[in-house]
Amino acid sequence: MKFVDEATIDVAAGDGGNGCASFRHEKYKEFGGPDGGDGGRGGHVFMLADPSLNTLVDFRYTRRFEAQRGEHGKGSDMFGVKGDDVVLKVPVGTIVSDAESGQVLCELLQAGEQVMIAKGGDGGFGNMHYKSSTNRAPRQKTPGWPGERKALKLELKVLADVGLLGMPNAGKSTLIAAISNARPKIADYPFTTLHPNLGVVRVGPEKSFVVADVPGLIEGASEGAGLGHQFLRHLQRTRLLLHLVDAAPFDEAVDPVAQAKAIVAELKKFDPELHAKPRWLVLNKVDMLPPEERGARVKDIVKRLRYKGPVFEISALTREGCERLVQKAYEHIEAQRQQAIGPVEIDPRFAPGGGDDGSGSITP
């Protein structure tokens, strides 16, 4: 399936039905009175976050969605039937914004979350709505209100806990395949990854996190060079970035330190908040280095980068060092989750030292 993370669509809620002006006509009832019903409400347009979807490709070819209009009111006190609603299913993590003004209307971040995006028009009033003791034969009726019409821009930002960052052929796809259930395309040429891949990493029973692999970045990505600029947004919701650096490039003229600095600079240009996220240095392909040279090579890269954070030496191909990286990443993510939730309030009855002393009162 082609990965699509942007789409522009038009939505139109249903118009309300018109009210009816009618009078009761029945044998032996000379003055039956008004019996024109109100029109029905037009259908709404909703957005629903569906966890089974991971792309906006359904909106690439069908771009207009219209809800049903409300039925007109009728005589004999019959109100119009409301129009059917339209529910558009989108992937979790979709941002819905107004295509003209750019205003963000909603963000669907929870599975099953549903938001009304266009309101259907109310039905018009029939003449029975206007009857009173002083207006016993009203002939007024009102038309239905028009439903809302909007041009929308849909933008998908994948929801992942960990994002993989690095130059093309740094080993990101190999790593996500080694630690998760994802099976991306892996080859020995640049830009093998053409769209983001998501994988679930199982650390233990009921312990897991989601990792995202985006196309490799090159210098100038924030201005549109290469492929990665299209998908940098997918890293904005991650809690941790793993910066993969090829510690043993095939071309001796390639400087991994210069490449790493270029990527960090692109992050800062694209989004300062993304640049400020926790970022760990992961030196990949250490199995290609002679054992006696590995330590010196790692120290040289770290020193030249002036990097002060955690450093991991791994081989995504042989899975050397991957288990430690996964454990540390999970511990970091879980700590952030707990911090976001905040301290859990404990009922005083179940706090240490609390309880019933037998007299019917709670011991403080």
Side-chain angles (χ1 to χ4, degrees), residues 174-238:
T174 306
L175 177 60
I176 195 175
I179 64 177
S180 75
N181 59 353
R183 293 296 175 264
K185 182 179 179 181
I186 301 173
D188 58 352
Y189 55 84
F191 299 112
T192 310
T193 301
L194 300 179
H195 57 78
N197 294 300
L198 290 181
V200 178
V201 181
R202 302 289 180 184
V203 182
E206 300 183 0
K207 294 181 178 180
S208 64
F209 62 88
V210 179
V211 60
D213 167 30
V214 299
L217 301 178
I218 61 175
E219 190 171 359
S222 59
E223 282 81 28
L227 294 174
H229 71 285
Q230 301 175 10
F231 305 106
L232 276 172
R233 70 171 70 92
H234 297 299
L235 299 176
Q236 291 178 320
R237 285 182 174 150
T238 57

Side-chain angles (χ1 to χ4, degrees), residues 41-93:
R41 170 184 64 78
H44 303 313
V45 179
F46 293 94
M47 289 284 182
L48 174 65
D50 188 344
S52 65
L53 300 177
N54 56 13
T55 175
L56 295 172
V57 70
D58 293 338
F59 302 99
R60 175 56 62 91
Y61 306 106
T62 305
R63 293 179 177 268
R64 182 166 180 83
F65 301 88
E66 296 184 8
Q68 187 180 29
R69 75 164 299 152
E71 191 178 85
H72 300 315
K74 299 179 182 179
S76 301
D77 301 340
M78 288 192 293
F79 284 38
V81 178
K82 70 177 182 178
D84 293 334
D85 298 331
V86 169
V87 180
L88 305 179
K89 296 182 179 180
V90 296
V92 179

Side-chain angles (χ1 to χ4, degrees), residues 16-22 35-40 69-75 78-80 122-130 139-145:
N18 299 329
C20 174
S22 172
D35 66 351
D38 298 344
R69 75 164 299 152
E71 191 178 85
H72 300 315
K74 299 179 182 179
M78 288 192 293
F79 284 38
D122 294 328
F125 293 141
N127 65 337
M128 65 175 293
H129 185 88
Y130 295 98
R139 286 172 170 77
Q140 307 96 298
K141 64 175 182 177
T142 58
W145 291 87

Side-chain angles (χ1 to χ4, degrees), residues 130-303:
Y130 295 98
K131 70 180 180 180
S132 67
S133 59
T134 58
N135 188 13
R136 306 185 67 177
R139 286 172 170 77
Q140 307 96 298
K141 64 175 182 177
T142 58
W145 291 87
E148 293 181 337
R149 287 162 171 77
K150 296 180 179 179
L152 302 177
K153 180 180 179 182
L154 308 182
E155 182 181 5
L156 174 62
K157 291 183 181 180
V158 298
L159 297 178
D161 301 301
V162 176
L164 302 183
L165 191 65
M167 297 288 286
N169 273 22
K172 301 184 297 300
S173 297
T174 306
L175 177 60
I176 195 175
I179 64 177
S180 75
N181 59 353
R183 293 296 175 264
K185 182 179 179 181
I186 301 173
D188 58 352
Y189 55 84
F191 299 112
T192 310
T193 301
L194 300 179
H195 57 78
N197 294 300
L198 290 181
V200 178
V201 181
R202 302 289 180 184
V203 182
E206 300 183 0
K207 294 181 178 180
S208 64
F209 62 88
V210 179
V211 60
D213 167 30
V214 299
L217 301 178
I218 61 175
E219 190 171 359
S222 59
E223 282 81 28
L227 294 174
H229 71 285
Q230 301 175 10
F231 305 106
L232 276 172
R233 70 171 70 92
H234 297 299
L235 299 176
Q236 291 178 320
R237 285 182 174 150
T238 57
R239 301 174 185 266
L240 174 66
L241 297 176
L242 299 182
H243 188 170
L244 265 69
V245 175
D246 186 353
F250 287 106
D251 188 354
E252 296 182 356
V254 174
D255 185 4
V257 174
Q259 291 184 337
K261 289 182 177 179
I263 288 183
V264 174
E266 293 303 321
L267 281 183
K268 193 170 185 179
K269 290 180 184 177
F270 179 77
D271 184 1
E273 291 186 6
L274 180 60
H275 176 265
K277 282 183 179 292
R279 187 172 63 254
W280 293 356
L281 181 63
V282 180
L283 301 178
N284 191 23
K285 304 181 183 180
V286 294
D287 58 312
M288 303 288 292
L289 298 173
E292 63 276 7
E293 298 180 8
R294 180 184 299 184
R297 183 62 180 271
V298 170
K299 288 182 179 179
D300 178 64
I301 292 176
V302 174
K303 181 180 179 181

Side-chain angles (χ1 to χ4, degrees), residues 10-48:
D10 294 319
V11 297
D15 297 335
N18 299 329
C20 174
S22 172
F23 291 89
R24 186 176 182 183
H25 296 283
E26 190 174 339
K27 193 174 183 180
Y28 307 121
K29 296 219 180 256
E30 185 177 0
F31 302 103
D35 66 351
D38 298 344
R41 170 184 64 78
H44 303 313
V45 179
F46 293 94
M47 289 284 182
L48 174 65

